[in-house]
Amino acid sequence: MKQIQFPNGKTVPALGQGTWHMGRDSTARKEEADALRHGMDLGMTLIDTAEMYHDAELVVAEALKGRRHEAWVVSKVLPANASFTATVAACETSLKRLDIECIDLYLLHWPGSYPLRETLGAFQALVEQGKIGGYGVSNFDIAEMQDAWTTTGGDKIATNQLFYNLQHRAIEWDLLPWCRQKRLPVMAYSPLNQGRLDSAVLDQIAERHNATRFQVALAWVLHQHQVIAIPKSSKISHLDQNHAALDIRLSEQDLQQIDQAFAPPSGPVAIEMTGSAVFGSII
C-alpha cells in the first residue's frame, strides 16, 4: 500500500475508507461494519467519518471492536459547533459514539462563522488532553488556508480534506500546489464523483488495464502526489474493486488522454463541495 506522510512524520495508507450516509438504515449497519472491517483487512486502515454523518460514527465503533489499534480514525466537527467550548463538547460526543479514547485526526468540516483562532485553540487543548492526535480542516480554499496558516496554531494543521476527482480539478490551480509546498497531504473525498463518471475515454483506458472506469478514475487520484483517497463503500465487492485500483499503473498515454477528456484548470477556479454546506446538505 502506498503511504502518505504528514508533517509530523506519521504515515497513513493512500487509500482509505469514507463513511458518508452509513448508519442511516439501522438494518444495514452490520453489513456496513463488516465492509469497514474487510477494508481494514485489505490495508485500508484510514477511516473517515464526521459528527454530521448521522450514525456513521456508531458503525465505525462497531467495526473497530477489538481492532482499534489497527485503524487511523478521522472525524469532523460542524462549523455550528466550532466555538471553543462547543468544539470540545462535540469531540467528547464523537469519542463516546466511536467508543474510543482518542481521534487520530480531527477536522473542522468547513469554514464557519466562529473565529478560526477559537476552533484551533480548542483543537490544541484537545491534543494536550490526549483526546485527538492532531487536527486539520476541510473545504478550505487557498485564501482560507493562507489565513489559517498565520493564525495561532494554524501551522500545525495536518491536512485539508477536499472534493477532488477527475471531473472536479479546481484545487490543482493554486490550492494543491500550496498544500504540497507546506507538506500538507490532501484528503480527496468523493474521488469517484459518487459514481457519475460516464466517459468513453475512461472505458478505453480501462479496457487496456482489464479494469473498470471507476478503478481507472481512482487510480488517477492515487497517482497524485500527497493525495489520500477516501471513497465510501458499504459493499465488500466494491471494496475489493477499489483496492484493485492500487495495482493500476497509468501510462503517459493514459494520463494524456485523461487530461484531454478532463481538462485541468487553466486559471483560478472556486473550489467545490458535494452538496451545499451553506444550506446544510451533507458533504
Side-chain angles (χ1 to χ4, degrees):
M1 176 78 75
K2 176 183 176 182
Q3 298 289 305
I4 303 295
Q5 187 175 61
F6 286 98
N8 66 0
K10 170 67 181 178
T11 60
V12 299
L15 180 59
Q17 303 184 76
T19 61
W20 178 31
H21 280 322
M22 285 190 182
R24 287 186 152 193
D25 180 357
S26 59
T27 63
R29 289 180 189 173
K30 183 183 183 302
E31 181 183 13
E32 291 168 342
D34 287 343
L36 290 175
R37 282 191 287 267
H38 182 72
M40 291 170 64
D41 292 339
L42 296 173
M44 299 157 60
T45 53
L46 186 156
I47 299 177
D48 175 81
T49 189
E51 67 167 327
M52 184 180 185
Y53 299 168
H54 295 274
D55 290 327
E57 289 180 326
L58 298 177
V59 176
V60 175
E62 180 65 26
L64 294 183
K65 285 183 178 178
R67 303 186 62 170
R68 172 64 184 101
H69 64 287
E70 300 176 42
W72 204 76
V73 180
V74 182
S75 194
K76 311 178 198 72
V77 58
L78 281 164
N81 293 332
S83 68
F84 185 98
T85 302
T87 296
V88 172
C91 179
E92 291 174 346
T93 298
S94 284
L95 285 168
K96 290 178 182 177
R97 289 166 64 83
L98 290 162
D99 196 22
I100 59 178
E101 295 182 355
C102 177
I103 295 170
D104 296 294
L105 186 63
Y106 199 44
L107 312 180
L108 174 59
H109 211 146
W110 66 83
S113 59
Y114 288 105
L116 184 61
R117 64 178 180 276
E118 192 171 339
T119 311
L120 294 178
F123 285 166
Q124 290 175 298
L126 289 165
V127 170
E128 292 171 1
Q129 295 166 16
K131 293 179 179 177
I132 64 174
Y135 55 85
V137 296
S138 181
N139 298 301
F140 272 49
D141 63 22
I142 182 66
E144 290 159 342
M145 285 302 296
Q146 290 170 334
D147 288 344
W149 202 251
T150 60
T151 302
T152 301
D155 59 346
K156 296 296 190 297
I157 288 173
T159 192
N160 188 5
Q161 187 176 120
L162 296 160
F163 182 42
Y164 183 48
N165 54 61
L166 274 175
Q167 292 176 312
H168 299 88
R169 300 177 62 173
I171 69 170
E172 292 180 16
W173 179 254
D174 50 13
L175 182 53
L176 186 56
W178 186 91
C179 289
R180 286 171 175 162
Q181 181 185 21
K182 299 297 184 182
R183 296 180 58 243
L184 296 181
V186 162
M187 298 181 70
Y189 70 82
S190 294
L192 298 176
N193 200 28
Q194 300 177 3
R196 295 188 288 269
L197 286 168
D198 188 13
S199 166
V201 168
L202 288 182
D203 288 339
Q204 291 171 12
I205 297 171
E207 186 175 357
R208 290 200 292 268
H209 290 275
N210 192 28
T212 68
R213 70 171 72 118
F214 300 106
Q215 288 172 318
V216 170
L218 184 55
W220 179 86
V221 174
L222 293 167
H223 174 79
Q224 307 307 309
H225 179 59
Q226 284 294 91
V227 173
I228 301 162
I230 49 172
K232 174 257 182 179
S233 179
S234 56
K235 302 291 184 182
I236 287 177
S237 59
H238 291 168
L239 281 162
D240 288 334
Q241 292 171 24
N242 289 345
H243 184 262
L246 290 163
D247 296 327
I248 297 175
R249 297 293 178 265
L250 297 173
S251 67
E252 285 302 316
Q253 178 189 0
D254 296 334
L255 294 171
Q256 289 173 7
Q257 280 188 276
I258 286 171
D259 281 345
Q260 290 171 357
F262 304 95
S266 58
V269 184
I271 68 167
E272 300 170 86
M273 294 184 283
T274 54
S276 171
V278 174
F279 295 104
S281 297
I282 292 180
I283 296 175

